[in-house]
Amino acid sequence: DAEITQSPRHKITETGRQVTLACHQTWNHNNMFWYRQDLGHGLRLIHYSYGVQDTNKGEVSDGYSVSRSNTEDLPLTLESAASSQTSVYFCASSLQGNYEQYFGPGTRLTVT
Amino acid sequence: QKEVEQNSGPLSVPEGAIASLNCTYSDRGSQSFFWYRQYSGKSPELIMSIYSNGDKEDGRFTAQLNKASQYVSLLIRDSQPSDSATYLCAVNEVDYKLSFGAGTTVTVRA
């Protein structure tokens, strides 16, 4: 079955370290999105991509980067992890030309 | 980032009752509206999409849209304990992005 997966599901890292969170979807969706979810803030868009080699900044992109080398994957990199980046991260995808987004299971990241 | 406001909750309803969730949005040009259900510790799950004014029913769920009032709602009929979750309203932005409300937590009392 087609699906969207994220790894790792849980991660603890130290301040200043580089961290990469993986997102992989097998739906052949062109659109992929990264969100963070924090109490009191809801879902906030970090970065998004509409296809290979396309990346765009969302509302909370500082300290994060993404790259899109194929249709299936959109890894999210925290260049130098900060305690403020402790959060739950969700990847989502949608078909080209479609607003319906489908979410991965999430990664809980703790920065100590 | 467009504004999407939801009634803050939490909303507690007895089993078998109707739960009513409300959402207002700021962009009069929005055309696509979604309800997601999120169980504690899980990811959001799309349960309803609505694009036209009026009602859309799917099982025990009914979405209602009034574009003139910039209002979308979700009714859960015959509420069950398994409906206890946080419900997120989402509204389209440009370029196939979504703006999400903060969510309303529903608890169904047995």
Side-chain angles (χ1 to χ4, degrees), chain A residues 100 102, chain B residues 32-35 46-66 72-77:
Chain A
E100 294 185 353
Y102 298 90
Chain B
S32 304
F33 307 88
F34 308 93
W35 285 99
L46 179 64
I47 58 171
M48 289 287 281
S49 306
I50 186 165
Y51 305 97
S52 304
N53 280 330
D55 295 359
K56 179 182 179 182
E57 187 174 312
D58 185 359
R60 295 184 295 106
F61 296 97
T62 299
Q64 299 175 317
L65 176 61
N66 184 326
V72 58
S73 65
L74 180 71
L75 300 178
I76 308 173
R77 294 185 304 281

Side-chain angles (χ1 to χ4, degrees), chain B residues 3-97:
Chain B
E3 288 191 2
V4 179
E5 301 284 343
Q6 296 185 239
N7 43 343
S8 57
L11 180 65
S12 180
V13 298
E15 187 173 355
I18 295 175
S20 178
L21 292 77
N22 303 317
C23 174
T24 59
Y25 58 95
S26 62
D27 184 6
R28 188 169 290 278
S30 296
Q31 297 293 323
S32 304
F33 307 88
F34 308 93
W35 285 99
Y36 286 81
R37 177 177 61 199
Q38 186 175 24
Y39 292 115
S40 180
K42 302 296 185 182
S43 60
E45 173 193 8
L46 179 64
I47 58 171
M48 289 287 281
S49 306
I50 186 165
Y51 305 97
S52 304
N53 280 330
D55 295 359
K56 179 182 179 182
E57 187 174 312
D58 185 359
R60 295 184 295 106
F61 296 97
T62 299
Q64 299 175 317
L65 176 61
N66 184 326
K67 291 183 182 178
S69 300
Q70 296 177 237
Y71 175 93
V72 58
S73 65
L74 180 71
L75 300 178
I76 308 173
R77 294 185 304 281
D78 187 24
S79 294
Q80 302 297 309
S82 60
D83 296 324
S84 297
T86 296
Y87 291 81
L88 306 174
C89 174
V91 178
N92 75 284
E93 291 192 33
V94 295
D95 296 337
Y96 302 104
K97 295 181 291 184

